[in-house]
Amino acid sequence: MHASFEETDYTPEVFARPWLAAGALFMRGESVFLVHKTYGDGWDIPGGFVDQSEAPAAACRREIAEELGIQRPPERLLVCDWSPHDGTDRLLFVFDCGELGDESAVVLQDSELDRWEWVPIGTVEDYVTPRLAIRLQQAYAALREGRIGYLERGIPPITD
């Protein structure tokens, strides 16, 4: 059992301070919208890290505007994934952002992205890292089933 801050001599430094990131899931039939980054792991969904004192949904909206040049509010949360990476805890939010709409309106942020593509959900693992593939498949299932998913390292935790 973990004690609360008020019940211990702990200082705030002992509590987790994860990095937060928010991404947008756009669907077209059985396909998801991926962007190709000019750095890092290559293919991803639109999104990025949450700024200090910024809500994850607001960060998702901001990242869509920055990366794609369109205004789109997230419609609802699909999954939240606790994902430690290189010694830093991360909480990754994937939001349903509805239909992409007029694809000709997409203007990629050329300092970070060089192309985009619609990818069938069944082949997404050929484009993205294994953990992101699982996260996207879980987000896709949550969208189709009308639920919200909680993940740990990309997969639903085992419950008793």
Side-chain angles (χ1 to χ4, degrees):
M1 185 165 120
H2 298 281
S4 72
F5 178 73
E6 293 80 16
E7 298 169 334
T8 68
D9 292 330
Y10 289 139
T11 60
E13 292 78 29
V14 301
F15 295 104
R17 288 185 277 170
W19 293 10
L20 306 179
L25 186 71
F26 291 103
M27 298 292 306
R28 184 177 75 182
E30 302 291 316
S31 296
V32 296
F33 183 82
L34 297 182
V35 292
H36 188 264
K37 299 183 296 187
T38 57
Y39 62 93
D41 294 325
W43 292 97
D44 204 342
I45 56 175
F49 286 107
V50 177
D51 291 339
Q52 190 168 1
S53 299
E54 182 181 37
C60 184
R61 182 180 193 145
R62 174 183 52 76
E63 288 287 342
I64 292 169
E66 290 174 3
E67 293 184 350
L68 306 180
I70 60 174
Q71 296 297 321
R72 189 64 43 83
E75 294 181 5
R76 69 182 187 95
L77 178 65
L78 295 173
V79 295
C80 178
D81 185 10
W82 173 74
S83 182
H85 181 75
D86 294 335
T88 303
D89 288 346
R90 295 182 182 183
L91 281 177
L92 308 169
F93 299 88
V94 178
F95 291 94
D96 172 12
C97 290
E99 298 285 329
L100 183 63
D102 180 8
E103 293 174 3
S104 68
V106 173
V107 178
L108 295 179
Q109 181 183 26
D110 61 3
S111 63
E112 293 185 15
L113 306 173
D114 59 7
R115 63 187 182 276
W116 58 267
E117 190 171 326
W118 288 104
V119 175
I121 192 66
T123 62
V124 74
E125 64 274 356
D126 296 336
Y127 287 77
V128 300
T129 62
R131 192 179 291 180
L132 178 55
I134 295 168
R135 187 178 310 122
L136 293 179
Q137 291 161 347
Q138 290 290 325
Y140 177 82
L143 178 65
R144 294 291 184 223
E145 298 166 11
R147 62 177 174 78
I148 297 171
Y150 169 71
L151 309 173
E152 293 179 359
R153 295 182 172 95
I155 57 174
I158 297 172
T159 58
D160 296 333

